[in-house]
Amino acid sequence: MNVFVRLGGGAAPIDLDVAPDDTVGALLDRAAPLLGVPEDVRASLQAEYAGAVLEEGMALCETGVDAGEEIVVDVPVDPAECIAKSSELDADGDCGDACVMVGRVHFPPSQGLQINMMPFVMAQTFEATGLPWTCRQYYERFFPEILDIPGIEAEVGKVCYLSIDERDVAASESHRRGGVHTETPGTAAVQALASRPSHKGHGHSTFNLTCPFQRPLGWHVAWGHSNGHLQGGIFMASNVADSCQTYNCKVMPHPATGVDIIGPYGDLSHVAHLLPGPNNPMLKNHLYWLTDRTPHESLPLATACHRQWFRLVTSDVSLWHRDHSTPNPNGVLPDLARTQVIVGNKFKASDLRVVPPEDVAAMLATEQ
């Protein structure tokens, strides 16, 4: 039985394990924590089928809903109130941009690398990172830009995560994940696994659009205060213009109820129409910083090409998915004090399980 959540005219699927003899009320009880709905808001949730509200005491088998049909859970929030535009005070208390262009970079010759969320140690020298030698040219060309940004020095010595994707992409296809989404996995993705905030780099900025300046060294260009700094977040770059776009806003938990409108694994398709314009196509060979709640999407390419894509996620990561990530061959592990290692298909919650911290090293060593 499929369960969808309706927000602002759209609907996002959530993975709920329900049986025909479960009541509608039990379904809502299970849906509420997956949506970040606090107890005092749970009573206002409603389940609908074919446009009619279902009574909570009814068993699902009595509702007329057949297997494969959709039940819609209405969440009582205005999703527009969850979108914090640039320079507006958001629930984190920071008032800066959600996306900042921080510099120009030069991609190395392609090696056909396919790396996703490989853990490494942020360091001032390549040797101290624990990265494999195949990543050296990326370190030499990208990391000086990143480490020179005010605020990022706080990441030195911490475990961060590197992704590099170099491959041919056909015309009219997107290289990476299409559809508007955020990097934070969202409440629905993690609630069943841990009662901790869902982060993938997090990110705060004290840059904003009040006055432009150019940093005096290198290719750094940013719009903001001269004393602005970045905390955590995600760095991203591509060698192909107009292959990704961002929105300079953050999608936050609802300010009054705490309901998180971000769908499973960052999906924002149900509220994409509410995002403020204009969107911002990324320039090629430029390095961008964004938060894990900044909407963005990979775009279909106008012509076939070989695209190189770089992403660095800073240390505040809630979940590391073994089945979707690249282990570090030099043995660097996620920081198990702040990151849970998960096995199973991340797009199917019922397949997931948490690996006990004491078992992570042995598991990854065996697989390598």
Side-chain angles (χ1 to χ4, degrees), residues 9-38:
I14 58 175
D15 189 358
L16 270 185
D17 184 16
V18 292
D21 57 350
D22 287 335
T23 65
V24 172
L27 180 152
L28 294 174
D29 287 340
R30 295 176 193 173
L34 293 178
L35 303 170
V37 175

Side-chain angles (χ1 to χ4, degrees), residues 123-137 139-140:
Q124 298 286 353
T125 66
F126 175 76
E127 290 72 19
T129 65
L131 285 167
W133 66 269
T134 51
C135 299
R136 176 181 283 274
Q137 289 193 69
Y139 179 88
E140 292 172 346

Side-chain angles (χ1 to χ4, degrees), residues 159-282:
V159 175
C160 298
Y161 300 85
L162 179 66
S163 299
I164 301 170
D165 192 349
E166 303 176 321
R167 55 190 165 100
D168 294 335
V169 185
S172 302
E173 293 187 2
S174 57
H175 181 189
R176 300 290 297 179
R177 178 179 175 185
V180 183
H181 61 280
T182 63
E183 290 297 319
T184 185
T187 304
V190 301
Q191 187 66 39
L193 298 170
S195 57
R196 61 178 65 186
S198 59
H199 294 152
K200 189 175 178 181
H202 210 180
H204 298 288
S205 164
T206 60
F207 288 103
N208 62 41
L209 299 177
T210 57
C211 64
F213 79 97
Q214 181 169 341
R215 295 180 61 186
L217 299 176
W219 286 102
H220 296 284
V221 179
W223 295 86
H225 293 301
S226 59
N227 64 347
H229 74 280
L230 302 177
Q231 175 185 338
I234 297 164
F235 294 90
M236 194 179 300
S238 165
N239 70 336
V240 178
D242 299 330
S243 56
C244 181
Q245 68 183 10
T246 65
Y247 298 79
N248 200 6
C249 63
K250 293 171 70 173
V251 181
M252 305 300 298
H254 189 266
T257 67
V259 171
D260 197 343
I261 68 170
I262 294 176
Y265 287 92
D267 178 45
L268 290 176
S269 58
H270 51 294
V271 292
H273 60 292
L274 298 174
L275 298 177
N279 47 28
N280 306 295
M282 291 174 59

Side-chain angles (χ1 to χ4, degrees), residues 81-85 88-98 184 197-206 229 231-233 249-255 260 262 289-294 316:
E81 297 176 357
C82 301
I83 298 172
K85 301 176 184 178
E88 291 180 349
L89 185 65
D90 63 30
D92 281 342
D94 89 78
C95 57
D97 280 351
T184 185
S198 59
H199 294 152
K200 189 175 178 181
H202 210 180
H204 298 288
S205 164
T206 60
H229 74 280
Q231 175 185 338
C249 63
K250 293 171 70 173
V251 181
M252 305 300 298
H254 189 266
D260 197 343
I262 294 176
W289 175 93
L290 57 155
T291 79
D292 63 357
R293 287 180 170 270
T294 302
D316 192 357

